[in-house]
Structure formats: structure tokens, C-alpha cells
């Protein structure tokens, strides 16, 4: 009888200890109860365009991390019509790893199908991609979205290749994740088209 009572006391004590530890972990944001940081518009890369819209999409798309860091790089901005280069990138980091990249660069492919295969096909299987309405060609999955944006209208038909690559999935899945990445791609494409001084219509809606 004494042995049984002792076991019950020990079991109750262990359960109480677990509750205390779990409560402390939650209170101090320790694993597995870290709170997901909220991305604010002011923290978002300028190259993502509409920062408020981008922040809303990122808060859905990004995996839960206690903090996020943004690295915005403008490697080359097109200065005039004779300039045939443009390149920018935005990297989103969290939890010691790169979570997402958004790149835009001047490109020229034989056709939009080749662009999909050689650019987006390196990131995801082309069988997972669905087309959406933007640029001369736009495709997306739940981990990538890309737009082939008209830029130079005279001479060589150069485009802007805008690619969003979600490297670590977040809470949003399937169609929701795809919509968020499309929003980011459209916003980044609109920014790139303006900054690259493109004269051809972008064909990118607000989205």
C-alpha cells in the first residue's frame, strides 16, 4: 500500500514538474514554444515593391521564426536605354538559415518556355508549376513564383526575370502559399520594371 502511494506521489510530482517546465518555456519563448515574429512593412526589402503588401504575404508564407533579417542588394540598376544589365536580390533569413530569395535580372531567352525550363525548372519540377496572368509568362507552385517581364521594346527583346524561391515552407500550404508567392512576384516585378527604366509595357497587374 505504501509502495503504491509512493508511486502516485512520484508520478504527480513528475507531472507537476513537466507543467512548470512547459509554462516556463512558453513564457520565455523557448523551444518548442517560440513565438513567430511579425514582418513589418518597414523591415521589408525595398526591391519587393509595395512593402505593406509584401509584408502581409511574407507573414503567411514564411516559416515560424522568432526573428527575420532582410538583405537587400542592388547589384546593378539600369541607367538608360543603352544599358542592358539589371540585377537586384532580396534574401530573407531566420533561424540561422536562408528562408527565401527574390531576384530580378535582365535576361533574354529564345522563348518563354525556355525561360521556364532553364530558370524556374532549376528550383522546382516544371510539372508542379501552374501559369498565372502576368508579364509575357508567369508560373507558380507552392514554393516558387516567377514572371518574365517585357522590358526593352526596341532591338533585342530583353526581359526581366523575376523569381521568388521559398526555400523553407511556412504555415501556408498549397494554393494559399502559391497566392502569397504570386503576390510577392508581382510586387517585385512592378518595382523592377520601374527601376530598370523599361519602355515596354510590363503586363503586370497589381495582383
Amino acid at each position: 500500500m505504501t509502495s503504491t502511494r509512493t508511486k502516485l506521489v512520484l508520478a504527480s510530482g513528475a507531472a507537476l514538474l513537466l507543467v512548470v517546465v512547459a509554462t516556463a518555456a512558453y513564457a520565455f519563448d523557448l523551444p518548442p514554444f517560440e513565438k513567430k515574429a511579425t514582418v513589418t512593412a518597414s523591415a521589408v526589402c525595398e526591391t519587393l515593391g509595395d512593402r505593406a503588401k509584401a509584408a502581409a504575404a511574407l507573414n503567411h508564407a514564411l516559416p515560424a521564426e522568432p526573428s527575420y533579417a532582410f538583405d537587400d542588394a542592388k547589384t546593378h540598376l539600369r541607367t538608360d536605354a543603352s544599358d542592358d544589365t539589371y540585377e537586384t536580390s532580396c534574401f530573407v533569413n531566420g533561424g540561422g538559415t536562408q528562408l527565401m530569395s527574390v531576384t530580378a535580372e535582365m535576361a533574354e531567352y529564345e522563348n518563354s518556355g525556355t525561360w521556364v525550363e532553364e530558370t524556374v525548372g532549376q528550383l522546382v519540377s516544371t510539372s508542379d508549376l501552374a501559369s498565372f496572368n502576368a508579364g509575357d509568362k508567369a508560373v507558380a507552385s507552392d514554393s516558387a513564383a516567377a514572371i518574365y517581364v517585357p522590358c526593352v521594346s526596341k532591338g533585342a527583346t530583353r526581359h526581366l526575370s523575376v523569381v521568388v524561391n521559398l526555400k523553407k515552407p511556412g504555415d501556408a500550404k498549397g494554393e494559399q502559399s502559391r497566392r502569397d508567392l504570386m503576390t510577392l512576384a508581382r510586387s517585385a516585378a512592378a518595382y523592377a520594371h520601374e527601376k530598370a527604366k523599361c519602355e515596354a509595357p510590363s503586363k503586370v497587374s497589381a495582383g
Side-chain angles (χ1 to χ4, degrees), residues 62-123:
L62 292 174
E65 294 293 348
S67 65
Y68 301 105
F70 290 81
D71 182 13
D72 208 7
K74 302 170 186 176
T75 308
H76 188 94
L77 297 179
R78 188 168 180 246
T79 56
D80 54 45
S82 65
D83 195 346
D84 61 1
T85 54
Y86 179 91
E87 186 176 356
T88 64
S89 59
C90 173
F91 299 105
V92 187
N93 302 289
T97 188
Q98 190 177 106
L99 307 175
M100 177 185 286
S101 66
V102 183
T103 59
E105 61 180 338
M106 192 77 81
E108 184 178 358
Y109 286 87
E110 183 177 347
N111 55 61
S112 60
T114 303
W115 166 75
V116 171
E117 292 176 6
E118 295 187 6
T119 302
V120 196
Q122 294 181 7
L123 307 175

Side-chain angles (χ1 to χ4, degrees), residues 41-204:
S42 60
V44 171
C45 295
E46 180 186 348
T47 53
L48 293 188
D50 186 327
R51 288 178 165 178
K53 188 176 292 184
L58 287 165
N59 279 315
H60 287 147
L62 292 174
E65 294 293 348
S67 65
Y68 301 105
F70 290 81
D71 182 13
D72 208 7
K74 302 170 186 176
T75 308
H76 188 94
L77 297 179
R78 188 168 180 246
T79 56
D80 54 45
S82 65
D83 195 346
D84 61 1
T85 54
Y86 179 91
E87 186 176 356
T88 64
S89 59
C90 173
F91 299 105
V92 187
N93 302 289
T97 188
Q98 190 177 106
L99 307 175
M100 177 185 286
S101 66
V102 183
T103 59
E105 61 180 338
M106 192 77 81
E108 184 178 358
Y109 286 87
E110 183 177 347
N111 55 61
S112 60
T114 303
W115 166 75
V116 171
E117 292 176 6
E118 295 187 6
T119 302
V120 196
Q122 294 181 7
L123 307 175
V124 297
S125 171
T126 54
S127 63
D128 293 334
L129 295 169
S131 296
F132 65 98
N133 186 28
D136 274 348
K137 182 70 175 179
V139 292
S141 70
D142 60 0
S143 62
I147 306 175
Y148 196 48
V149 187
C151 184
V152 179
S153 59
K154 296 179 181 179
T157 55
R158 294 190 179 90
H159 286 62
L160 291 171
S161 174
V162 179
V163 181
V164 179
N165 181 20
L166 180 62
K167 301 183 178 183
K168 185 177 178 182
D171 294 333
K173 304 296 182 185
E175 185 59 26
Q176 178 60 59
S177 179
R178 181 174 174 270
R179 286 197 299 268
D180 291 330
L181 299 185
M182 286 164 53
T183 295
L184 290 168
R186 282 193 173 105
S187 186
Y191 174 92
H193 187 268
E194 178 184 355
K195 292 299 180 181
K197 298 178 173 60
C198 297
E199 61 269 16
S202 70
K203 303 180 186 178
V204 177

